[in-house]
Structures are given as structure tokens and as C-alpha cells.
Amino acid sequence: MKVIEHISKSNGTLFSFEIVPPPRGKTITAVTDVVETLLPHNPSWIDVTAHPAGAYYNERPDGTIERKIYKKRPGTIGICGVIQNRFRVDTVTHLLTQGFTKEETEDAMIELNFLGIHNVLALRGDGLNYNKQYDKSRSVNHYAIDLVKQINDVKNGKFLDELSQSLPLDFGVGVAGYPEKHFEAPSLKLDIQHLKDKVDAGADYIATQMFFKNDKYFEFVSLCREAGINVPIVPGIKVIKNLKQFNSVPSNFYVDFPDEFVEEAHANPNHVEEIGIRYAIKQCEELVNAKVPSLHFYVMNDAKSVAQVVKKFF
Ligand code: FAD
């Protein structure tokens, strides 16, 4: 079932979450263990992140440095297939413009269709110190909206090359939204205009970046509604576990923490995990009371503290 169908069939707030594929060379059990931990709370869908190839620098035994290009976390589509077929939970495959040609994206969509996966989140992604060189015969999407348009084309049976009697592929499409503004956008207003363009191009829901101040989300939703965006806006939640995250999360995701949360955690460094759980429960209570479509958790691969929060609601 598509995300938009889960939302429209539900009377209350749903539970969903996002995981990352294991690093190259590790087994899939890291991911299936997370799913098993959270399965008793009835997730409606599970997102699996996508990762382009990046440039990484390794020191050789002789002390010289080598630059290697590879995907650190391959396997997004395979993991979606495993989760959906083993656990019978719908999956949302993240698709990126960054690092993928339109031809590769079309192949990915055909593979997803064969696996029975009918949800994608259309994203631009970010460069990882590497710009893939493309053959002139290949074509690329730039912004996420270009990808939404390509997905829309295959939904109408229109492939990159004209194919006789080609059948449409069926996808529900989500896009990303940023309650605290995307870091490159010159203003929140312009960022929301670009978001509206993605929705008008065919996205049927928005998944937000994580945030820790509910006011930012509520304000964002009302600005989106004023701008004429009427699709569901699913809030992204992150449960903080350690002090380091108070620095890494703002620098990676451009989001802000409430002062009282930062102060309490720093005053009690041995109890950050329980403070993070308590704070997330409080945040979720307010969101559930506001009847948000789903509480969407950025689990990455650590499900235990998320389970502590989720068990209060689902
Ligand atoms: P876009 O919608 O293309 O926007 C990017 C920037 O360009 C914005 O500032 C926007 O305002 C601006 N813009 C858009 N259109 C135009 C235009 N026509 N002209 C000028 N400016 C324009 N990253 C990953 O690598 N893998 C993942 O799996 C992943 N999952 C994510 C899931 C969620 C829910 C979120 C919120 C983010 C995720 N990201 C992921 C990160 C995301 O790829 C980055 O934040 C990226 O920088 C922007 O992606 P986007 O799809 O929002 O881009």
C-alpha cells in the first residue's frame, strides 16, 4: 500500500521509521534486527536511505594517501525487498538525483516494480567530494523536482526511450521538506516555493527533516498551507542518545535544540539517554495531540531508545 493510502485510511497518528543500509562488508542482520525490535509497534512503512558514491581517502602502508571512489552503504533496493517480503511491511525506497543518471534511475524503478515496492522518496542528495563523470549519451536530473517529473513519466508509461506498448509503473511519491529551511536556500519562503513546485509536479506527501522544537514544525505547516501546499506533512523525529549529538546534529542537519534540553543534558552527562527519551516522548505527545499523520523516526540503526518512546503511543 502507498504511504498516502496508509495516511488517508487512518483516523489517528501512525508510526513509521527510517533506517540506513549497513556499511559495505557488513551483514543485513544489523538492519533486520532493527526492524524486529520495532515490529511489535506496527510500523505502517519503513524508509531505507540511499547513498551515492563518494571519495574516501585511505592511508597506504607506506604512508601515502590513496583516493578511492565507492558507495559506503550500497543495497537500498535489496533491503527494501527483504523487509517487504520477510516482514510484510511497506517500504519507501529513497531515490537520489546526485550520483545517478536518469537511465540508472529508470532501471531502479523497474527493479522496484518487480519487487512489489510502490513507494519512493524523491531526493537530490548531497555530493560526497565526488562528481561522477557521465557519458554524453546519458542524462541527469539535478533538483529533486526533476526526479519527481521522471517518476511521473513512468507512472504514465513514458520511459526515456520510446518503447512500444510500455506499461505504466505504479509509485506513491514523497519529497523532503525543511521546517528550519534547507541550508542552501536563501529564505524559508523561497524554499517553500520550491517545495510547492515539487508537490505540483506530482509528490503526494512531504517528509520533514528532523526537528526538536515543535513550534518550528507547526509554523512550517501553516506557511505551507498558506502557500497552497495541501498534501500531508509527516514530521521527522530523532531521539538523542549522547552529548556528541548536540554538536553533530546541528552541523549535519542545520537544526536547533531547545535551550532547556541542551542545559539539562549537559548538567547530567551520565543520563543523556534517559533525558533524550523523556524529551522525545514530550515532543511526540504534543504532535499526536495535534493529529500529525505519522511520527516518523530517524532510527538509523539504533532501535532501542526509539522503542522506549514508541511503546508509549503504539
Ligand atoms: P531539492 O528539493 O532539490 O532542494 C535542494 C535545494 O535547492 C533547496 O535549497 C531548494 O530550495 C533549492 N531548489 C530547489 N529547486 C530549485 C530551483 N529550481 N532553482 C534553485 N534552487 C532550487 N540524503 C541522501 O543522500 N540519502 C537519503 O536517503 C536522504 N534521505 C532524506 C530524507 C529526508 C526526509 C530528508 C529531509 C532529507 C534526506 N536526505 C537524504 C538529505 C537530502 O538529500 C539533502 O538535504 C539535500 O541537500 C536536498 O535534497 P532535496 O531533495 O530536499 O533537494
Short mmCIF file of all heavy atoms in Angstrom, two decimals, residues 18 49-50 52 94 96 121-126 143-144 176-178 182-185 191 194 198 207-209 298, ligand 1:
data_model
loop_
_atom_site.label_atom_id
_atom_site.label_comp_id
_atom_site.label_asym_id
_atom_site.label_seq_id
_atom_site.Cartn_x
_atom_site.Cartn_y
_atom_site.Cartn_z
N GLU A 18 12.81 5.27 9.64
CA GLU A 18 13.81 5.30 8.56
C GLU A 18 15.10 4.63 9.03
O GLU A 18 15.57 4.88 10.13
CB GLU A 18 14.08 6.77 8.24
CG GLU A 18 15.09 7.00 7.16
CD GLU A 18 15.00 8.43 6.61
OE1 GLU A 18 13.88 8.93 6.44
OE2 GLU A 18 16.06 9.01 6.38
N THR A 49 17.32 4.56 3.38
CA THR A 49 18.06 5.67 2.75
C THR A 49 18.91 5.17 1.58
O THR A 49 19.25 3.99 1.47
CB THR A 49 18.98 6.37 3.76
OG1 THR A 49 19.91 5.41 4.27
CG2 THR A 49 18.19 6.98 4.92
N ALA A 50 19.26 6.14 0.70
CA ALA A 50 20.11 5.84 -0.47
C ALA A 50 21.42 6.63 -0.35
O ALA A 50 21.43 7.71 0.26
CB ALA A 50 19.39 6.25 -1.74
N PRO A 52 24.94 7.91 -2.58
CA PRO A 52 25.72 7.95 -3.82
C PRO A 52 27.16 7.53 -3.54
O PRO A 52 27.58 7.47 -2.38
CB PRO A 52 25.67 9.43 -4.22
CG PRO A 52 25.52 10.16 -2.92
CD PRO A 52 24.77 9.25 -1.98
N HIS A 94 14.45 5.35 -1.01
CA HIS A 94 14.93 6.68 -1.35
C HIS A 94 15.65 6.63 -2.70
O HIS A 94 16.48 5.75 -2.93
CB HIS A 94 15.87 7.21 -0.26
CG HIS A 94 15.15 7.50 1.02
ND1 HIS A 94 15.70 8.26 2.03
CD2 HIS A 94 13.89 7.17 1.44
CE1 HIS A 94 14.81 8.37 3.01
NE2 HIS A 94 13.72 7.70 2.68
N LEU A 96 17.84 9.11 -5.44
CA LEU A 96 18.60 10.37 -5.47
C LEU A 96 18.86 10.81 -6.90
O LEU A 96 19.04 9.97 -7.79
CB LEU A 96 19.96 10.19 -4.80
CG LEU A 96 20.01 9.64 -3.37
CD1 LEU A 96 21.47 9.49 -2.94
CD2 LEU A 96 19.27 10.56 -2.41
N LEU A 121 10.87 7.98 -2.10
CA LEU A 121 11.07 9.35 -1.65
C LEU A 121 12.08 9.95 -2.63
O LEU A 121 13.19 9.44 -2.77
CB LEU A 121 11.62 9.38 -0.22
CG LEU A 121 11.59 10.75 0.47
CD1 LEU A 121 10.15 11.17 0.83
CD2 LEU A 121 12.43 10.74 1.75
N ALA A 122 11.65 11.02 -3.34
CA ALA A 122 12.49 11.61 -4.39
C ALA A 122 13.34 12.73 -3.80
O ALA A 122 12.81 13.73 -3.32
CB ALA A 122 11.59 12.15 -5.50
N LEU A 123 14.66 12.54 -3.86
CA LEU A 123 15.60 13.46 -3.19
C LEU A 123 16.73 13.86 -4.13
O LEU A 123 17.07 13.11 -5.04
CB LEU A 123 16.23 12.76 -1.98
CG LEU A 123 15.28 12.33 -0.88
CD1 LEU A 123 15.81 11.07 -0.22
CD2 LEU A 123 15.11 13.45 0.13
N ARG A 124 17.32 15.00 -3.82
CA ARG A 124 18.52 15.37 -4.58
C ARG A 124 19.76 14.66 -4.04
O ARG A 124 20.59 14.17 -4.79
CB ARG A 124 18.73 16.89 -4.50
CG ARG A 124 19.83 17.35 -5.41
CD ARG A 124 20.26 18.77 -5.08
NE ARG A 124 20.91 18.84 -3.78
CZ ARG A 124 21.36 19.95 -3.25
NH1 ARG A 124 21.22 21.10 -3.88
NH2 ARG A 124 21.95 19.93 -2.07
N GLY A 125 19.89 14.60 -2.69
CA GLY A 125 21.13 14.08 -2.10
C GLY A 125 22.20 15.17 -2.10
O GLY A 125 21.97 16.29 -2.57
N ASP A 126 23.35 14.84 -1.53
CA ASP A 126 24.46 15.80 -1.46
C ASP A 126 25.72 15.14 -1.99
O ASP A 126 25.90 13.93 -1.83
CB ASP A 126 24.70 16.22 0.00
CG ASP A 126 23.50 16.99 0.55
OD1 ASP A 126 23.08 17.96 -0.10
OD2 ASP A 126 23.00 16.60 1.61
N TYR A 143 17.75 18.86 -9.63
CA TYR A 143 17.00 19.02 -8.38
C TYR A 143 16.04 17.84 -8.21
O TYR A 143 15.74 17.12 -9.18
CB TYR A 143 16.21 20.33 -8.41
CG TYR A 143 17.10 21.56 -8.36
CD1 TYR A 143 17.24 22.39 -9.47
CD2 TYR A 143 17.79 21.89 -7.20
CE1 TYR A 143 18.05 23.51 -9.42
CE2 TYR A 143 18.61 23.00 -7.14
CZ TYR A 143 18.73 23.82 -8.25
OH TYR A 143 19.53 24.92 -8.20
N ALA A 144 15.52 17.73 -6.97
CA ALA A 144 14.56 16.64 -6.70
C ALA A 144 13.33 16.74 -7.60
O ALA A 144 12.75 15.73 -7.99
CB ALA A 144 14.16 16.66 -5.22
N ALA A 176 11.16 15.74 0.33
CA ALA A 176 11.67 16.25 1.62
C ALA A 176 11.29 17.71 1.82
O ALA A 176 11.27 18.50 0.87
CB ALA A 176 13.19 16.12 1.64
N GLY A 177 10.97 18.05 3.09
CA GLY A 177 10.70 19.44 3.46
C GLY A 177 11.51 19.81 4.70
O GLY A 177 11.86 18.91 5.49
N TYR A 178 11.77 21.08 4.90
CA TYR A 178 12.71 21.53 5.94
C TYR A 178 12.07 22.62 6.81
O TYR A 178 12.10 23.80 6.44
CB TYR A 178 14.00 22.05 5.29
CG TYR A 178 14.66 20.99 4.43
CD1 TYR A 178 14.23 20.75 3.12
CD2 TYR A 178 15.66 20.18 4.94
CE1 TYR A 178 14.78 19.75 2.35
CE2 TYR A 178 16.22 19.17 4.18
CZ TYR A 178 15.78 18.96 2.89
OH TYR A 178 16.34 17.96 2.13
N HIS A 182 16.08 24.57 4.18
CA HIS A 182 17.22 23.84 3.63
C HIS A 182 18.44 24.76 3.67
O HIS A 182 18.33 25.95 3.38
CB HIS A 182 16.92 23.38 2.20
CG HIS A 182 18.03 22.56 1.63
ND1 HIS A 182 18.99 23.08 0.79
CD2 HIS A 182 18.37 21.25 1.81
CE1 HIS A 182 19.85 22.13 0.46
NE2 HIS A 182 19.49 21.01 1.06
N PHE A 183 19.59 24.21 4.00
CA PHE A 183 20.77 25.05 4.26
C PHE A 183 21.20 25.91 3.07
O PHE A 183 21.81 26.96 3.25
CB PHE A 183 21.95 24.21 4.77
CG PHE A 183 22.55 23.26 3.75
CD1 PHE A 183 23.72 23.59 3.08
CD2 PHE A 183 21.96 22.04 3.47
CE1 PHE A 183 24.28 22.72 2.15
CE2 PHE A 183 22.51 21.17 2.54
CZ PHE A 183 23.67 21.50 1.88
N GLU A 184 20.86 25.50 1.85
CA GLU A 184 21.29 26.30 0.69
C GLU A 184 20.27 27.38 0.32
O GLU A 184 20.61 28.29 -0.45
CB GLU A 184 21.44 25.39 -0.55
CG GLU A 184 22.61 24.45 -0.47
CD GLU A 184 22.52 23.37 -1.55
OE1 GLU A 184 21.77 23.54 -2.53
OE2 GLU A 184 23.21 22.36 -1.40
N ALA A 185 19.06 27.27 0.82
CA ALA A 185 18.00 28.20 0.36
C ALA A 185 18.21 29.58 0.97
O ALA A 185 18.48 29.70 2.16
CB ALA A 185 16.63 27.65 0.75
N ASP A 191 12.34 28.52 -0.21
CA ASP A 191 12.45 27.06 -0.05
C ASP A 191 11.06 26.42 -0.13
O ASP A 191 10.88 25.37 -0.78
CB ASP A 191 13.10 26.77 1.32
CG ASP A 191 13.78 25.42 1.37
OD1 ASP A 191 14.14 24.88 0.30
OD2 ASP A 191 13.96 24.88 2.49
N HIS A 194 9.91 26.26 -3.65
CA HIS A 194 10.48 25.10 -4.36
C HIS A 194 9.79 23.80 -3.93
O HIS A 194 9.60 22.90 -4.74
CB HIS A 194 11.99 25.01 -4.09
CG HIS A 194 12.77 26.13 -4.72
ND1 HIS A 194 13.86 26.72 -4.13
CD2 HIS A 194 12.61 26.76 -5.91
CE1 HIS A 194 14.32 27.68 -4.93
NE2 HIS A 194 13.59 27.72 -6.01
N LYS A 198 7.62 20.97 -6.17
CA LYS A 198 7.77 19.50 -6.15
C LYS A 198 6.40 18.84 -5.98
O LYS A 198 6.11 17.82 -6.59
CB LYS A 198 8.68 19.06 -4.99
CG LYS A 198 10.15 19.44 -5.17
CD LYS A 198 11.07 18.72 -4.18
CE LYS A 198 11.13 19.33 -2.83
NZ LYS A 198 12.22 18.81 -1.96
N ALA A 207 7.92 14.50 3.72
CA ALA A 207 8.55 14.01 4.96
C ALA A 207 9.53 15.09 5.40
O ALA A 207 10.32 15.57 4.59
CB ALA A 207 9.30 12.70 4.69
N THR A 208 9.47 15.48 6.67
CA THR A 208 10.33 16.60 7.08
C THR A 208 11.68 16.14 7.62
O THR A 208 11.83 15.02 8.11
CB THR A 208 9.70 17.51 8.17
OG1 THR A 208 9.86 16.91 9.46
CG2 THR A 208 8.26 17.85 7.87
N GLN A 209 12.61 17.06 7.53
CA GLN A 209 13.88 16.92 8.24
C GLN A 209 13.56 16.82 9.73
O GLN A 209 12.52 17.30 10.19
CB GLN A 209 14.73 18.18 7.96
CG GLN A 209 16.10 18.17 8.57
CD GLN A 209 16.90 16.97 8.11
OE1 GLN A 209 16.74 15.87 8.65
NE2 GLN A 209 17.75 17.16 7.11
N TYR A 298 13.79 8.87 12.78
CA TYR A 298 15.09 8.63 12.17
C TYR A 298 15.83 7.67 13.09
O TYR A 298 16.51 8.08 14.02
CB TYR A 298 15.87 9.94 12.03
CG TYR A 298 15.33 10.82 10.93
CD1 TYR A 298 14.49 11.89 11.21
CD2 TYR A 298 15.65 10.56 9.62
CE1 TYR A 298 13.99 12.68 10.20
CE2 TYR A 298 15.15 11.34 8.59
CZ TYR A 298 14.32 12.39 8.89
OH TYR A 298 13.82 13.17 7.88
P1 FAD B 1 15.82 19.78 -3.59
O1 FAD B 1 14.34 19.74 -3.39
O2 FAD B 1 16.32 19.61 -4.98
O3 FAD B 1 16.32 21.17 -2.99
C1 FAD B 1 17.71 21.41 -2.77
C2 FAD B 1 17.94 22.91 -2.65
O4 FAD B 1 17.74 23.53 -3.92
C3 FAD B 1 16.97 23.63 -1.69
O5 FAD B 1 17.68 24.68 -1.07
C4 FAD B 1 15.90 24.18 -2.61
O6 FAD B 1 15.27 25.34 -2.07
C5 FAD B 1 16.73 24.52 -3.85
N1 FAD B 1 15.99 24.43 -5.11
C6 FAD B 1 15.08 23.51 -5.48
N2 FAD B 1 14.66 23.74 -6.74
C7 FAD B 1 15.35 24.82 -7.18
C8 FAD B 1 15.38 25.55 -8.41
N3 FAD B 1 14.61 25.18 -9.43
N4 FAD B 1 16.24 26.61 -8.50
C9 FAD B 1 17.02 26.98 -7.47
N5 FAD B 1 17.03 26.33 -6.29
C10 FAD B 1 16.21 25.27 -6.15
N6 FAD B 1 20.19 12.34 1.50
C11 FAD B 1 20.75 11.21 1.00
O7 FAD B 1 21.86 11.28 0.44
N7 FAD B 1 20.12 9.99 1.08
C12 FAD B 1 18.91 9.86 1.66
O8 FAD B 1 18.36 8.75 1.70
C13 FAD B 1 18.29 11.01 2.23
N8 FAD B 1 17.08 10.94 2.83
C14 FAD B 1 16.48 12.09 3.29
C15 FAD B 1 15.19 12.01 3.86
C16 FAD B 1 14.56 13.16 4.34
C17 FAD B 1 13.17 13.06 4.92
C18 FAD B 1 15.22 14.41 4.27
C19 FAD B 1 14.57 15.66 4.81
C20 FAD B 1 16.50 14.50 3.71
C21 FAD B 1 17.13 13.35 3.21
N9 FAD B 1 18.40 13.40 2.63
C22 FAD B 1 18.98 12.26 2.11
C23 FAD B 1 19.14 14.67 2.54
C24 FAD B 1 18.83 15.46 1.25
O9 FAD B 1 19.22 14.73 0.12
C25 FAD B 1 19.61 16.78 1.34
O10 FAD B 1 19.05 17.59 2.34
C26 FAD B 1 19.77 17.55 0.04
O11 FAD B 1 20.69 18.64 0.31
C27 FAD B 1 18.50 18.20 -0.51
O12 FAD B 1 17.66 17.28 -1.02
P2 FAD B 1 16.18 17.69 -1.51
O13 FAD B 1 15.57 16.52 -2.10
O14 FAD B 1 15.47 18.44 -0.44
O15 FAD B 1 16.61 18.74 -2.70
#
